[in-house]
Amino acid sequence: MTENKCHGCIKLAEHMKLAEEIRKHKEKVAELKFQMSDEALQQMPEFQGRVEVLKKIGCIDADLVVQLKGRVACEMNSGEELICTECLFDNQLDCLEPEEAVALMSAFVFQQRNTSEPTLTPKLLEARQRLHETAIRLGQLQVELGLPISPEEYAQENLKFGLVEVVYEWAKGTPFADICKLTDVPEGLIVRTIVRLDETCREFKNAASIMGNSALHKKMEAASNAIKRDIVFAASLYITGV
């Protein structure tokens, strides 16, 4: 070591610093590679719990092969994937008219938790209760398989029914000024929710195609057409020429 030529190098300190940086980067790369590896995932109880949930509800089989329900879940981006998928496979939208279906679907995309209580028809009240029970059931299943969640909080976080009445009236053709009087939600948030609902309708249409459910596909097409009108989908003057 005493005869090493590095001792006489005028850039010894600089080279030592560079070598230390290279060592740190190599360690970081090795750590990231491990975190991305199957070995790291196998050690994560939460990951294993989520895999078991997917098995229980039929999204994947025992060999982790994606099933039909799993393919449908992959189409869901606007709302919570498991709840949306169970809603479809439980045929919860079949007994609803397009206006009622899109109104119920607003619970998947609406973000505000505290709103005035909507006034719903008996049919929509029943549909809301059924969807809420589905979320609670999925939450309880996740708890049973070791995931650290509360079923009630899971349902409240992923289903917000504050704009169901507003969207229902809008889909029926009620003017925008009138639907704004039905809730204390700001107008901008109403518009944003309805615009996002159109994307949700497209996702449900794609899911219906995968399932081979032509009736649901037509219903989602009708629902999309019902909400896609008037000021909500008007072109913005900020981004279009006058």
Side-chain angles (χ1 to χ4, degrees):
M1 291 180 64
T2 57
E3 296 175 358
N4 192 298
K5 61 181 181 180
C6 290
H7 291 297
C9 179
I10 60 175
K11 293 185 177 181
L12 178 61
E14 181 182 340
H15 291 166
M16 290 294 291
K17 184 178 180 181
L18 181 60
E20 178 65 16
E21 288 295 324
I22 292 174
R23 183 188 65 81
K24 288 180 179 179
H25 286 308
K26 285 183 176 179
E27 290 180 352
K28 185 65 175 177
V29 168
E31 179 185 350
L32 291 174
K33 284 184 176 179
F34 175 75
Q35 291 177 3
M36 294 168 60
S37 68
D38 292 339
E39 291 80 3
L41 291 177
Q42 296 299 331
Q43 295 177 10
M44 296 172 60
E46 185 173 337
F47 171 79
Q48 287 297 330
R50 293 189 185 281
V51 169
E52 291 302 318
V53 170
L54 294 177
K55 287 181 182 178
K56 284 284 187 182
I57 64 177
C59 287
I60 57 177
D61 63 14
D63 297 321
L64 306 185
V65 177
V66 178
Q67 304 298 295
L68 175 62
K69 186 179 280 190
R71 290 173 57 201
V72 169
C74 289
E75 295 294 328
M76 301 299 147
N77 297 306
S78 301
E80 210 281 336
E81 298 89 344
L82 300 185
I83 301 176
C84 290
T85 303
E86 288 298 299
C87 171
L88 288 178
F89 277 82
D90 286 348
N91 300 316
Q92 296 186 21
L93 302 180
D94 286 7
C95 61
L96 302 178
E97 296 299 319
E99 297 83 3
E100 296 168 330
V102 75
L104 184 67
M105 289 160 59
S106 69
F108 297 133
V109 298
F110 183 48
Q111 298 296 318
Q112 188 170 315
R113 176 172 292 187
N114 298 319
T115 64
S116 56
E117 184 66 22
T119 303
L120 304 180
T121 64
K123 201 172 179 181
L124 279 174
L125 282 172
E126 182 181 351
R128 181 178 73 169
Q129 181 62 27
R130 188 177 178 188
L131 187 59
H132 182 265
E133 289 173 356
T134 297
I136 293 294
R137 174 171 55 82
L138 287 169
Q140 291 172 340
L141 175 62
Q142 293 177 71
V143 171
E144 292 170 5
L145 294 172
L147 295 179
I149 69 168
S150 162
E152 281 293 342
E153 289 183 5
Y154 173 76
Q156 291 175 5
E157 187 65 29
N158 293 295
L159 293 176
K160 300 179 177 68
F161 297 98
L163 283 187
V164 173
E165 179 187 12
V166 168
V167 173
Y168 178 58
E169 292 297 331
W170 175 255
K172 290 200 305 179
T174 304
F176 188 77
D178 292 340
I179 68 170
C180 290
K181 298 175 183 177
L182 301 175
T183 180
D184 56 1
V185 176
E187 291 88 342
L189 190 52
I190 295 175
V191 171
R192 190 188 317 160
T193 299
I194 295 175
V195 170
R196 288 189 65 197
L197 259 179
D198 184 51
E199 176 62 28
T200 306
C201 288
R202 283 198 292 271
E203 293 172 5
F204 274 54
K205 275 197 302 182
N206 294 338
S209 297
I210 294 173
M211 297 167 66
N213 190 335
S214 58
L216 178 62
H217 189 280
K218 291 178 181 178
K219 182 174 292 186
M220 290 299 99
E221 185 73 37
S224 177
N225 292 334
I227 62 173
K228 199 183 299 182
R229 64 177 181 85
D230 205 13
I231 190 172
V232 173
F233 284 86
S236 172
L237 294 179
Y238 292 102
I239 59 176
T240 58
V242 179

